[in-house]
Amino acid sequence: MRILIADDEVMSRKMLQKTLERAGYEVTAVENGRLAANQLCPADGPRLALLDWVMPELDGPGVCREVRKRKEQSYVYMILLTSREAKEDVVAGLESGADDYLTKPFDPEELKARLRTGLRILNLEDRLVEAREEMRFRATHDGLTTLWNRGVMMDLLGRELARSRREHVCTAILMCDVDHFKTVNDTYGHHAGDDVLKETAKRLLAAVRSYDFVGRYGGEEFLVVLNNCNPPYALARAEEIRKAIARTPVPSVNGPIPVSMSVGLLFSEDWGRLPLEELLQEAGAALYAAKAAGRNCVKVASPKTSSPDSGSPDYQSIRLRR
């Protein structure tokens, strides 16, 4: 564990440094409070600190206050070293953000015991942060594919549609479905079906730009959002995504599994301010049209009707010869 020592007395600083190095710490020693704050405030700074109360430029409590302002960094455990013993001084030091208080002269073994207490607290804090991040991941990602889950995708898509309307650009929505997935489960087993979904997720991510969104919509359905993407490019990307899924079979313990995907494609600029739920219904209808057209193809949802009296959209089919 790295530890920072801040003391303006050279002899005291060197003795403390040797004591801690013999105890196995990696020590950084500085001679004033400003240098101490500069070392502790960065995200990769030491997480243990021994701070003399009285120092040039910035005293020990001042260093504590500076460090506590940086809420985004990992927790830093700080001990104030001072000859002051009055209760009001102890209170002032702890209220500045210090975790512990040790009066001079102190016993080296007591110091090491207090540092071990600090290490236990830091380890506990790390475990809590890890647990929080794991909970956050589970709340926002699909457990099988690790893609964004449906709730997050709806939120991201809603934000992106609002942005595209403000900036008068196009967002492309791709509703994708793995073809004959029930047959995959029935023929190769559900574990193989899970492998197909995970591999499909990887191929989808590899086929889009880093700032596009890919999520699992439900079952074998996936939702892809191409941000700020004009229709001709989006059409080409949809076809590339389809080919990326179908290009090679998915390996499994029961042999390679041929996989293909049907895609319903919708351009936001064609649909005005239609609500999100209705846009997804139209993309879903285009997906079903792709299924009806023989699968492994892309169909585009168009608000144009096939006849003046027709109330249903016309879905244009895009399919390459194989």
Side-chain angles (χ1 to χ4, degrees):
M1 172 63 73
R2 297 164 59 202
I3 186 169
L4 179 126
I5 298 170
D7 195 330
D8 59 327
E9 295 182 5
V10 178
M11 187 60 66
S12 175
R13 188 170 66 247
K14 288 185 176 180
M15 289 179 62
L16 196 52
Q17 182 172 356
K18 288 183 179 179
T19 298
L20 294 177
E21 286 176 343
R22 284 197 296 267
Y25 291 92
E26 179 184 339
V27 180
T28 300
V30 296
E31 64 272 15
N32 66 64
R34 178 51 58 193
L35 291 174
N38 292 342
Q39 288 283 337
L40 294 173
C41 285
D44 60 348
R47 297 185 61 200
L48 274 177
L50 293 174
L51 307 171
D52 192 29
W53 186 301
V54 180
M55 291 185 292
E57 299 192 33
L58 196 64
D59 62 11
V63 175
C64 294
R65 284 188 286 269
E66 286 285 318
V67 172
R68 296 299 181 229
K69 289 179 184 177
R70 309 297 179 93
K71 298 183 184 297
E72 70 279 2
Q73 72 179 99
S74 298
Y75 193 79
V76 180
Y77 191 90
M78 295 178 287
I79 301 176
L80 284 175
L81 304 175
T82 182
S83 56
R84 303 182 183 188
E85 298 182 358
K87 287 191 180 294
E88 56 268 23
D89 291 327
V90 175
V91 172
L94 294 176
E95 287 189 342
S96 71
D99 297 283
D100 204 350
Y101 187 100
L102 199 56
T103 55
K104 298 178 180 180
F106 51 81
D107 180 75
E109 294 304 316
E110 181 184 2
L111 172 62
K112 285 187 265 187
R114 290 176 184 252
L115 288 174
R116 286 194 293 271
T117 299
L119 287 174
R120 288 196 296 271
I121 290 174
L122 291 177
N123 287 334
L124 176 60
E125 199 261 348
D126 287 345
R127 291 199 296 271
L128 289 173
V129 170
E130 183 178 343
R132 182 191 66 197
E133 292 304 314
E134 182 178 354
M135 290 176 62
R136 181 181 299 169
F137 185 88
R138 289 182 178 182
T140 57
H141 290 74
D142 174 62
L144 178 65
T145 64
T146 71
L147 296 175
W148 294 120
N149 63 26
R150 180 170 179 161
V152 173
M153 284 298 295
M154 295 290 283
D155 181 62
L156 291 173
L157 177 54
R159 292 170 185 267
E160 184 58 27
L161 287 172
R163 186 192 68 81
S164 65
R165 287 163 182 165
R166 285 195 311 271
E167 300 178 4
H168 305 289
V169 296
C170 182
T171 295
I173 302 173
L174 285 72
M175 189 72 76
C176 312
D177 186 87
V178 178
D179 294 328
H180 301 296
F181 186 70
K182 184 179 184 302
T183 302
V184 171
N185 280 332
D186 292 344
T187 304
Y188 299 92
H190 288 276
H191 288 298
D194 288 346
D195 290 339
V196 166
L197 293 178
K198 288 187 282 188
E199 180 61 25
T200 299
K202 290 179 183 178
R203 294 181 186 183
L204 286 173
L205 283 174
V208 301
R209 301 163 299 183
S210 60
Y211 49 87
D212 293 325
F213 308 137
V214 181
R216 188 178 179 190
Y217 194 67
E220 65 271 24
E221 286 189 337
F222 296 85
L223 187 63
V224 178
V225 179
L226 305 179
N227 304 314
N228 193 14
C229 193
N230 61 63
Y233 179 79
L235 198 56
R237 292 308 311 154
E239 188 59 30
E240 286 299 317
I241 289 170
R242 183 197 66 78
K243 291 192 292 185
I245 302 301
R247 185 172 291 123
T248 55
V250 175
S252 77
V253 293
N254 297 321
I257 304 174
V259 178
S260 65
M261 175 171 278
S262 300
V263 180
L265 175 61
L266 180 145
F267 307 125
S268 65
E269 67 176 22
D270 292 341
W271 295 85
R273 293 188 172 272
L274 198 68
L276 171 59
E277 293 77 10
E278 294 184 34
L279 288 177
L280 291 174
Q281 287 177 5
E282 297 296 345
L287 168 62
Y288 295 137
K291 293 284 188 182
R295 295 180 171 83
N296 193 23
C297 64
V298 178
K299 282 216 166 187
V300 181
S302 171
K304 298 176 182 178
T305 55
S306 55
S307 68
D309 298 326
S310 174
S312 60
D314 172 40
Y315 299 101
Q316 303 166 348
S317 179
I318 306 296
R319 189 172 189 174
L320 296 187
R321 295 183 180 272
R322 293 182 292 165

